Every structure is written in C-alpha cells, then in structure tokens.
Amino acid sequence: MTARAETLPIEIVPTGFALGAEIRGIDVRRKLSAEVGEALREAWKQHLVLLFRGQTGLNDEELIAFTRVFGPLQDAPNSEVTAGFGSFSDVPPEVTIISNIEVDGKQIGALGAGEADWHTDMSFIDEPPAGSCLYAIEIPPAGGNTSFTNMHRALDTLEEETVSAVKDARCVHDESLTSTGAQRQGVPPVTDVRETPGARHPVLRTHPDTGRKALFLGRRRNAWLIDFDVEESERLLDRLWTHAADESHVWEHRWREGDIVLWDNRAVMHRREPFAPTTRRLMHRTQVAGGRPY
Ligand code: SIN
C-alpha cells in the first residue's frame, strides 16, 4: 500500500515483504523541510529499511548531511581502519568505503567481492550504530544484492521454549573477524569461544524509539552465550540464527546506481551476496550513532 501525506511531497511505498519501504518524490541533496524529516524518521521506525532511488552524483558531504536527518553520525571504528579498510582513500571519517576495487594493488574499501554473512554493523563495539546508510556509486552487472531480516518479527515468531532459554542471556559479538570472515589486523584468532573478544550484548534488546523487543544476534562466528555450556550455547545459537534468517522475515534489495538504503541496526540484520571479483562495486556508507543496547 502506498501512503502519501496530504501536504507532503513524498510517497512511502512498502516493499510488500517483512520490512522495507521505498521513499519516492525526494531529492536528498535539497534541504528537507522539518515535516519531511519527521515523516522520514516515522517511516524508518515503521519500515526499518528505507530505499531512495535515483540519487546519482551525491558527494560525501551531501551523504553526511542527509544521514544527519536520522541522528548524529558515528565514525568508522578504528579496527576497520587498522585492517586497511578505507585507509587508502581520502574520505571524511564519517564515511566507510565498501568496495572490492584495488588501486596500486591495495583495496580501497572493506568486504571485497565475497559473501558478507548475516550481521549487524559494528556490533562488536559497546555502542554500535543505530543505523547504516549505504550509497551505491558503482554496481556490478550481477550479484552483490543485499538482504535484510526483521529481528522484531524474528523474535515475535520464535517458539516460547527458545525465548525463555535466552531471554536473560548475553552474547559476545566477535571483533576478530569481519562479516566476510577475514581476520582483523591486530586481533588474534579465536580458539575458544569463551575467550572471544568483543562487546557483550543482551540477546533480546529493546528499541529505544519504539519500545519494541528484537532479537540481537550480531554475528554468528565465534559467538558465545555468556556462562552457558559451549554445547548448549551452540545449539541455541544455531536455532536462533536459522530462525532469524528464515525467508519469511527477509527482503532482498537489488541495487541500482544512485540508490541509498538506510537500515536500522537495532532491529535489522543484513547480508551481502558475492559478486564476480573481476567486476566493480563501490559504495559509501555512513553510520547513525547509537547507544548501548539494553
Ligand atoms: C555492509 O555490510 O555494511 C555492506 C553491505 C553491502 O555491501 O551491501
């Protein structure tokens, strides 16, 4: 169903899947009125992922200014920079480059061309970003689609037995590996999940703007439910991850150049499918600052 506020020039078109809506009638380079800003924040609360098509030619300052409509920004974490991601290009600290492109034999951005497993951006830090805003500058001819899963819905549809087993649990979110499984520089490999480095967050979190509960899983590799027997932790995590990735909670986005997609890390996980490394993909990402999950 399409919604158009009487006095506003924007149209909100839900994807028809478990989350996501396209916002039409907007040029994000223009200064948005207070009413449009408010309508966008409301749409973000409701749909969790917003798509803005046709925003070609945006520069980093314009992307940053647009992201600020949704809150103050958060810089890329040092651990990504020290891994060589985004450190070879001249971009503002608020911008993370996601790309497989190499210049003089060095990657200009993060994640390469491989599959990025389901994850929540930067969940390995104590205060992960509330949102991520990804802008498509170059898109490969095939592959590289990004999928989103609704973690409110995942929790709401989880069987009671598993909910009660994890309702007070905390989980460690591994900082040693990226979402493609690459080792971050300066962080030793994990040999025992009970020693996984990274933030410890509640498995059930509360969305600070809506009060709704969501599953918060972050990243599967090297995860451990704190104080659980490792075998039991693995069993429960496998169950939670299988359920969270069920296609009934998912919307897959097929990119076009000029797309901006903004997602809510407090209620959404995402994954990126691989694409041919001989083709080019260039995205710039900004992060909306977040607080400590509770
Ligand atoms: C990310 O995980 O933030 C990037 C997703 C993508 O490359 O589509």
Side-chain angles (χ1 to χ4, degrees), residues 98 111 119 121 134 146 255 263 270 272 281 285:
I98 308 288
L111 301 185
H119 66 284
D121 286 330
L134 194 61
T146 306
W255 291 93
W263 63 87
H270 60 284
R272 200 271 314 275
R281 188 175 188 269
R285 192 186 78 195

Side-chain angles (χ1 to χ4, degrees), residues 143-172:
N145 295 351
T146 306
S147 296
F148 301 91
T149 186
N150 182 336
M151 300 297 273
H152 288 311
R153 189 185 153 118
L155 177 60
D156 292 347
T157 55
L158 187 62
E159 66 279 355
E160 187 46 43
E161 187 193 337
T162 308
V163 175
S164 53
V166 299
K167 72 177 173 10
D168 299 317
R170 299 177 73 75
C171 185
V172 62

Side-chain angles (χ1 to χ4, degrees), residues 3-12 25 33-40:
R4 185 193 283 277
E6 279 302 307
T7 52
L8 296 181
I10 62 168
E11 221 180 331
I12 300 166
S33 68
E35 291 80 8
V36 168
E38 191 50 37
L40 293 179

